[in-house]
Amino acid sequence: EVQLVESGGGLVQPGGSLRLSCAASGFTFSNYAMTWVRQAPGKGLEWVSAINGGGDSTSYADSVKGRFTISRDNAKCMLYLQMNSLKREDTAVYYCVRGWKFLEVWGQGTLVTVSS
């Protein structure tokens, strides 16, 4: 069974940092690009960042560029999102998703709340 399980969300003050993790299982992780997507309260889905299977190509939404870093450890089947200089508008449920152009499999999400 293909599974994606996110962790690492929580409450953080503006300007703070968090690292999200996503544990993948049930497929050959290194064969797939991976994406982070978020959904703020009451808003639609927003694509955040993506990384190719080898980990040497990444892309970011303008809203997070320079603050967030996506990475992966193919040996551990893990995807990460390092989030620095967090802003209140980063508050959202963050989803780990298999794929890049086609988002095939979604995790359950982890909530990030940026508030003082």
Side-chain angles (χ1 to χ4, degrees):
E1 179 188 5
V2 174
Q3 275 197 317
L4 298 169
V5 180
E6 301 95 334
S7 61
L11 175 64
V12 61
Q13 291 188 342
S17 297
L18 275 179
R19 189 176 84 152
L20 304 183
S21 299
C22 172
S25 61
F27 63 101
T28 304
F29 184 65
S30 60
N31 285 355
Y32 291 86
M34 298 293 295
T35 296
W36 287 99
V37 176
R38 69 185 181 184
Q39 186 168 31
K43 297 191 175 181
L45 295 170
E46 179 187 14
W47 180 91
V48 174
S49 182
I51 187 168
N52 70 342
D56 57 352
S57 179
T58 59
S59 185
Y60 297 91
D62 287 344
S63 58
V64 306
K65 199 172 293 182
R67 300 187 298 120
F68 290 11
T69 302
I70 191 171
S71 63
R72 64 192 296 160
D73 184 334
N74 285 343
K76 296 181 179 179
C77 298
M78 294 292 295
L79 177 72
Y80 304 102
L81 186 68
Q82 178 66 44
M83 305 186 295
N84 299 329
S85 302
L86 282 160
K87 305 175 181 180
R88 287 183 174 81
E89 52 264 41
D90 294 318
T91 294
V93 175
Y94 285 73
Y95 297 94
C96 167
V97 190
R98 190 177 82 175
W100 189 315
K101 291 185 179 180
F102 301 102
L103 304 180
E104 306 169 309
V105 181
W106 293 64
Q108 85 288 348
T110 186
L111 176 63
V112 172
T113 302
V114 184
S115 175
S116 53

PDB file of all heavy atoms in Angstrom, residues 1-4 6 22 25 27 32-35 95-99 102-108:
ATOM      1  N   GLU A   1       0.832  -1.189   0.000  1.00  0.00           N
ATOM      2  CA  GLU A   1       0.000   0.000   0.000  1.00  0.00           C
ATOM      3  C   GLU A   1       0.879   1.256   0.000  1.00  0.00           C
ATOM      4  O   GLU A   1       1.787   1.382   0.813  1.00  0.00           O
ATOM      5  CB  GLU A   1      -0.899   0.014   1.236  1.00  0.00           C
ATOM      6  CG  GLU A   1      -1.803   1.241   1.330  1.00  0.00           C
ATOM      7  CD  GLU A   1      -2.537   1.296   2.669  1.00  0.00           C
ATOM      8  OE1 GLU A   1      -2.260   0.435   3.543  1.00  0.00           O
ATOM      9  OE2 GLU A   1      -3.364   2.197   2.843  1.00  0.00           O
ATOM     10  N   VAL A   2       0.580   2.153  -0.907  1.00  0.00           N
ATOM     11  CA  VAL A   2       1.320   3.403  -0.971  1.00  0.00           C
ATOM     12  C   VAL A   2       0.862   4.309   0.176  1.00  0.00           C
ATOM     13  O   VAL A   2      -0.329   4.521   0.366  1.00  0.00           O
ATOM     14  CB  VAL A   2       1.082   4.102  -2.315  1.00  0.00           C
ATOM     15  CG1 VAL A   2       1.739   5.472  -2.331  1.00  0.00           C
ATOM     16  CG2 VAL A   2       1.603   3.240  -3.464  1.00  0.00           C
ATOM     17  N   GLN A   3       1.835   4.802   0.949  1.00  0.00           N
ATOM     18  CA  GLN A   3       1.502   5.683   2.079  1.00  0.00           C
ATOM     19  C   GLN A   3       2.473   6.847   2.164  1.00  0.00           C
ATOM     20  O   GLN A   3       3.674   6.680   1.920  1.00  0.00           O
ATOM     21  CB  GLN A   3       1.552   4.912   3.402  1.00  0.00           C
ATOM     22  CG  GLN A   3       0.280   4.173   3.743  1.00  0.00           C
ATOM     23  CD  GLN A   3       0.227   3.777   5.205  1.00  0.00           C
ATOM     24  OE1 GLN A   3       1.201   3.318   5.773  1.00  0.00           O
ATOM     25  NE2 GLN A   3      -0.928   3.965   5.823  1.00  0.00           N
ATOM     26  N   LEU A   4       1.929   8.000   2.534  1.00  0.00           N
ATOM     27  CA  LEU A   4       2.717   9.190   2.818  1.00  0.00           C
ATOM     28  C   LEU A   4       2.236   9.720   4.163  1.00  0.00           C
ATOM     29  O   LEU A   4       1.048   9.989   4.319  1.00  0.00           O
ATOM     30  CB  LEU A   4       2.529  10.241   1.736  1.00  0.00           C
ATOM     31  CG  LEU A   4       2.957   9.848   0.327  1.00  0.00           C
ATOM     32  CD1 LEU A   4       2.482  10.867  -0.697  1.00  0.00           C
ATOM     33  CD2 LEU A   4       4.467   9.680   0.257  1.00  0.00           C
ATOM     34  N   GLU A   6       2.959  12.630   6.988  1.00  0.00           N
ATOM     35  CA  GLU A   6       3.643  13.868   7.354  1.00  0.00           C
ATOM     36  C   GLU A   6       3.765  14.000   8.869  1.00  0.00           C
ATOM     37  O   GLU A   6       2.940  13.477   9.623  1.00  0.00           O
ATOM     38  CB  GLU A   6       2.886  15.096   6.824  1.00  0.00           C
ATOM     39  CG  GLU A   6       2.693  15.136   5.338  1.00  0.00           C
ATOM     40  CD  GLU A   6       1.351  14.568   4.901  1.00  0.00           C
ATOM     41  OE1 GLU A   6       0.795  13.727   5.645  1.00  0.00           O
ATOM     42  OE2 GLU A   6       0.856  14.959   3.819  1.00  0.00           O
ATOM     43  N   CYS A  22       8.140  13.840   5.777  1.00  0.00           N
ATOM     44  CA  CYS A  22       7.146  12.966   5.151  1.00  0.00           C
ATOM     45  C   CYS A  22       7.795  11.607   4.945  1.00  0.00           C
ATOM     46  O   CYS A  22       8.803  11.497   4.245  1.00  0.00           O
ATOM     47  CB  CYS A  22       6.690  13.543   3.830  1.00  0.00           C
ATOM     48  SG  CYS A  22       5.637  12.445   2.849  1.00  0.00           S
ATOM     49  N   SER A  25       6.196   5.086   1.890  1.00  0.00           N
ATOM     50  CA  SER A  25       6.307   3.626   1.878  1.00  0.00           C
ATOM     51  C   SER A  25       5.396   3.064   0.804  1.00  0.00           C
ATOM     52  O   SER A  25       4.458   3.726   0.354  1.00  0.00           O
ATOM     53  CB  SER A  25       5.949   3.047   3.251  1.00  0.00           C
ATOM     54  OG  SER A  25       4.622   3.374   3.599  1.00  0.00           O
ATOM     55  N   PHE A  27       6.250   2.144  -2.295  1.00  0.00           N
ATOM     56  CA  PHE A  27       6.674   2.369  -3.676  1.00  0.00           C
ATOM     57  C   PHE A  27       8.163   2.711  -3.686  1.00  0.00           C
ATOM     58  O   PHE A  27       8.761   2.983  -2.640  1.00  0.00           O
ATOM     59  CB  PHE A  27       5.849   3.488  -4.330  1.00  0.00           C
ATOM     60  CG  PHE A  27       5.995   4.850  -3.702  1.00  0.00           C
ATOM     61  CD1 PHE A  27       6.807   5.821  -4.270  1.00  0.00           C
ATOM     62  CD2 PHE A  27       5.294   5.167  -2.544  1.00  0.00           C
ATOM     63  CE1 PHE A  27       6.922   7.083  -3.701  1.00  0.00           C
ATOM     64  CE2 PHE A  27       5.404   6.428  -1.963  1.00  0.00           C
ATOM     65  CZ  PHE A  27       6.216   7.384  -2.544  1.00  0.00           C
ATOM     66  N   TYR A  32      10.262   8.790  -8.006  1.00  0.00           N
ATOM     67  CA  TYR A  32       9.189   9.765  -8.098  1.00  0.00           C
ATOM     68  C   TYR A  32       9.609  11.150  -7.606  1.00  0.00           C
ATOM     69  O   TYR A  32      10.268  11.278  -6.565  1.00  0.00           O
ATOM     70  CB  TYR A  32       7.989   9.312  -7.249  1.00  0.00           C
ATOM     71  CG  TYR A  32       7.286   8.109  -7.801  1.00  0.00           C
ATOM     72  CD1 TYR A  32       7.704   6.827  -7.496  1.00  0.00           C
ATOM     73  CD2 TYR A  32       6.187   8.256  -8.657  1.00  0.00           C
ATOM     74  CE1 TYR A  32       7.074   5.711  -8.015  1.00  0.00           C
ATOM     75  CE2 TYR A  32       5.537   7.149  -9.178  1.00  0.00           C
ATOM     76  CZ  TYR A  32       5.990   5.884  -8.854  1.00  0.00           C
ATOM     77  OH  TYR A  32       5.342   4.786  -9.374  1.00  0.00           O
ATOM     78  N   ALA A  33       9.181  12.156  -8.388  1.00  0.00           N
ATOM     79  CA  ALA A  33       9.230  13.512  -7.852  1.00  0.00           C
ATOM     80  C   ALA A  33       8.234  13.632  -6.714  1.00  0.00           C
ATOM     81  O   ALA A  33       7.249  12.885  -6.656  1.00  0.00           O
ATOM     82  CB  ALA A  33       8.896  14.513  -8.955  1.00  0.00           C
ATOM     83  N   MET A  34       8.499  14.574  -5.830  1.00  0.00           N
ATOM     84  CA  MET A  34       7.627  14.796  -4.680  1.00  0.00           C
ATOM     85  C   MET A  34       7.339  16.288  -4.538  1.00  0.00           C
ATOM     86  O   MET A  34       8.171  17.129  -4.896  1.00  0.00           O
ATOM     87  CB  MET A  34       8.275  14.277  -3.398  1.00  0.00           C
ATOM     88  CG  MET A  34       8.543  12.778  -3.379  1.00  0.00           C
ATOM     89  SD  MET A  34       7.046  11.772  -3.377  1.00  0.00           S
ATOM     90  CE  MET A  34       6.333  12.218  -1.800  1.00  0.00           C
ATOM     91  N   THR A  35       6.200  16.580  -3.987  1.00  0.00           N
ATOM     92  CA  THR A  35       5.711  17.955  -3.910  1.00  0.00           C
ATOM     93  C   THR A  35       5.133  18.235  -2.527  1.00  0.00           C
ATOM     94  O   THR A  35       4.576  17.329  -1.890  1.00  0.00           O
ATOM     95  CB  THR A  35       4.615  18.172  -4.974  1.00  0.00           C
ATOM     96  OG1 THR A  35       5.188  18.022  -6.269  1.00  0.00           O
ATOM     97  CG2 THR A  35       3.987  19.549  -4.873  1.00  0.00           C
ATOM     98  N   TYR A  95       0.623  19.322   2.933  1.00  0.00           N
ATOM     99  CA  TYR A  95       0.481  17.965   2.417  1.00  0.00           C
ATOM    100  C   TYR A  95       1.732  17.561   1.643  1.00  0.00           C
ATOM    101  O   TYR A  95       2.249  18.340   0.825  1.00  0.00           O
ATOM    102  CB  TYR A  95      -0.714  17.866   1.482  1.00  0.00           C
ATOM    103  CG  TYR A  95      -2.041  18.138   2.139  1.00  0.00           C
ATOM    104  CD1 TYR A  95      -2.603  19.406   2.120  1.00  0.00           C
ATOM    105  CD2 TYR A  95      -2.743  17.117   2.782  1.00  0.00           C
ATOM    106  CE1 TYR A  95      -3.822  19.658   2.716  1.00  0.00           C
ATOM    107  CE2 TYR A  95      -3.964  17.365   3.380  1.00  0.00           C
ATOM    108  CZ  TYR A  95      -4.490  18.631   3.344  1.00  0.00           C
ATOM    109  OH  TYR A  95      -5.705  18.889   3.937  1.00  0.00           O
ATOM    110  N   CYS A  96       2.141  16.349   1.869  1.00  0.00           N
ATOM    111  CA  CYS A  96       3.190  15.696   1.090  1.00  0.00           C
ATOM    112  C   CYS A  96       2.494  14.939  -0.039  1.00  0.00           C
ATOM    113  O   CYS A  96       1.526  14.192   0.207  1.00  0.00           O
ATOM    114  CB  CYS A  96       3.943  14.744   2.019  1.00  0.00           C
ATOM    115  SG  CYS A  96       5.030  13.561   1.248  1.00  0.00           S
ATOM    116  N   VAL A  97       2.963  15.117  -1.272  1.00  0.00           N
ATOM    117  CA  VAL A  97       2.265  14.545  -2.422  1.00  0.00           C
ATOM    118  C   VAL A  97       3.258  13.879  -3.361  1.00  0.00           C
ATOM    119  O   VAL A  97       4.314  14.453  -3.660  1.00  0.00           O
ATOM    120  CB  VAL A  97       1.498  15.635  -3.193  1.00  0.00           C
ATOM    121  CG1 VAL A  97       0.594  14.996  -4.229  1.00  0.00           C
ATOM    122  CG2 VAL A  97       0.677  16.515  -2.252  1.00  0.00           C
ATOM    123  N   ARG A  98       2.924  12.715  -3.845  1.00  0.00           N
ATOM    124  CA  ARG A  98       3.765  12.061  -4.835  1.00  0.00           C
ATOM    125  C   ARG A  98       3.458  12.648  -6.201  1.00  0.00           C
ATOM    126  O   ARG A  98       2.310  12.733  -6.627  1.00  0.00           O
ATOM    127  CB  ARG A  98       3.518  10.545  -4.857  1.00  0.00           C
ATOM    128  CG  ARG A  98       4.536   9.797  -5.692  1.00  0.00           C
ATOM    129  CD  ARG A  98       4.311   8.305  -5.631  1.00  0.00           C
ATOM    130  NE  ARG A  98       3.261   7.877  -6.566  1.00  0.00           N
ATOM    131  CZ  ARG A  98       2.943   6.612  -6.773  1.00  0.00           C
ATOM    132  NH1 ARG A  98       3.545   5.650  -6.081  1.00  0.00           N
ATOM    133  NH2 ARG A  98       2.002   6.300  -7.647  1.00  0.00           N
ATOM    134  N   GLY A  99       4.524  13.030  -6.897  1.00  0.00           N
ATOM    135  CA  GLY A  99       4.350  13.586  -8.222  1.00  0.00           C
ATOM    136  C   GLY A  99       4.818  15.024  -8.292  1.00  0.00           C
ATOM    137  O   GLY A  99       5.186  15.634  -7.278  1.00  0.00           O
ATOM    138  N   PHE A 102       1.635  15.898 -12.094  1.00  0.00           N
ATOM    139  CA  PHE A 102       0.452  15.107 -11.740  1.00  0.00           C
ATOM    140  C   PHE A 102       0.603  14.663 -10.296  1.00  0.00           C
ATOM    141  O   PHE A 102       1.501  13.904  -9.969  1.00  0.00           O
ATOM    142  CB  PHE A 102       0.314  13.905 -12.671  1.00  0.00           C
ATOM    143  CG  PHE A 102       0.203  14.293 -14.113  1.00  0.00           C
ATOM    144  CD1 PHE A 102       1.293  14.188 -14.958  1.00  0.00           C
ATOM    145  CD2 PHE A 102      -0.992  14.773 -14.619  1.00  0.00           C
ATOM    146  CE1 PHE A 102       1.198  14.562 -16.279  1.00  0.00           C
ATOM    147  CE2 PHE A 102      -1.102  15.142 -15.948  1.00  0.00           C
ATOM    148  CZ  PHE A 102       0.003  15.038 -16.781  1.00  0.00           C
ATOM    149  N   LEU A 103      -0.281  15.139  -9.442  1.00  0.00           N
ATOM    150  CA  LEU A 103      -0.208  14.871  -8.006  1.00  0.00           C
ATOM    151  C   LEU A 103      -1.075  13.654  -7.723  1.00  0.00           C
ATOM    152  O   LEU A 103      -2.298  13.753  -7.660  1.00  0.00           O
ATOM    153  CB  LEU A 103      -0.649  16.108  -7.227  1.00  0.00           C
ATOM    154  CG  LEU A 103       0.154  17.369  -7.569  1.00  0.00           C
ATOM    155  CD1 LEU A 103      -0.336  18.557  -6.763  1.00  0.00           C
ATOM    156  CD2 LEU A 103       1.637  17.152  -7.337  1.00  0.00           C
ATOM    157  N   GLU A 104      -0.388  12.498  -7.519  1.00  0.00           N
ATOM    158  CA  GLU A 104      -1.076  11.215  -7.573  1.00  0.00           C
ATOM    159  C   GLU A 104      -1.558  10.722  -6.224  1.00  0.00           C
ATOM    160  O   GLU A 104      -2.662  10.178  -6.109  1.00  0.00           O
ATOM    161  CB  GLU A 104      -0.130  10.155  -8.148  1.00  0.00           C
ATOM    162  CG  GLU A 104       0.472  10.518  -9.492  1.00  0.00           C
ATOM    163  CD  GLU A 104       1.590   9.558  -9.867  1.00  0.00           C
ATOM    164  OE1 GLU A 104       2.490   9.342  -9.022  1.00  0.00           O
ATOM    165  OE2 GLU A 104       1.555   9.028 -10.987  1.00  0.00           O
ATOM    166  N   VAL A 105      -0.700  10.852  -5.209  1.00  0.00           N
ATOM    167  CA  VAL A 105      -0.988  10.288  -3.891  1.00  0.00           C
ATOM    168  C   VAL A 105      -0.707  11.360  -2.849  1.00  0.00           C
ATOM    169  O   VAL A 105       0.356  11.996  -2.892  1.00  0.00           O
ATOM    170  CB  VAL A 105      -0.121   9.043  -3.603  1.00  0.00           C
ATOM    171  CG1 VAL A 105      -0.459   8.472  -2.224  1.00  0.00           C
ATOM    172  CG2 VAL A 105      -0.316   7.982  -4.672  1.00  0.00           C
ATOM    173  N   TRP A 106      -1.655  11.526  -1.922  1.00  0.00           N
ATOM    174  CA  TRP A 106      -1.560  12.582  -0.915  1.00  0.00           C
ATOM    175  C   TRP A 106      -1.459  11.984   0.479  1.00  0.00           C
ATOM    176  O   TRP A 106      -2.108  10.977   0.781  1.00  0.00           O
ATOM    177  CB  TRP A 106      -2.801  13.461  -0.969  1.00  0.00           C
ATOM    178  CG  TRP A 106      -2.941  14.260  -2.223  1.00  0.00           C
ATOM    179  CD1 TRP A 106      -3.104  13.775  -3.487  1.00  0.00           C
ATOM    180  CD2 TRP A 106      -2.938  15.680  -2.343  1.00  0.00           C
ATOM    181  NE1 TRP A 106      -3.197  14.809  -4.397  1.00  0.00           N
ATOM    182  CE2 TRP A 106      -3.099  15.992  -3.712  1.00  0.00           C
ATOM    183  CE3 TRP A 106      -2.817  16.724  -1.430  1.00  0.00           C
ATOM    184  CZ2 TRP A 106      -3.126  17.312  -4.180  1.00  0.00           C
ATOM    185  CZ3 TRP A 106      -2.857  18.034  -1.897  1.00  0.00           C
ATOM    186  CH2 TRP A 106      -3.010  18.319  -3.256  1.00  0.00           C
ATOM    187  N   GLY A 107      -0.675  12.646   1.331  1.00  0.00           N
ATOM    188  CA  GLY A 107      -0.669  12.310   2.745  1.00  0.00           C
ATOM    189  C   GLY A 107      -1.866  12.932   3.429  1.00  0.00           C
ATOM    190  O   GLY A 107      -2.704  13.601   2.794  1.00  0.00           O
ATOM    191  N   GLN A 108      -1.946  12.747   4.740  1.00  0.00           N
ATOM    192  CA  GLN A 108      -3.091  13.243   5.492  1.00  0.00           C
ATOM    193  C   GLN A 108      -2.927  14.703   5.908  1.00  0.00           C
ATOM    194  O   GLN A 108      -3.889  15.355   6.302  1.00  0.00           O
ATOM    195  CB  GLN A 108      -3.334  12.383   6.740  1.00  0.00           C
ATOM    196  CG  GLN A 108      -2.514  12.754   7.968  1.00  0.00           C
ATOM    197  CD  GLN A 108      -1.040  12.395   7.844  1.00  0.00           C
ATOM    198  OE1 GLN A 108      -0.632  11.667   6.936  1.00  0.00           O
ATOM    199  NE2 GLN A 108      -0.223  12.899   8.759  1.00  0.00           N
TER     200      GLN A 108
END
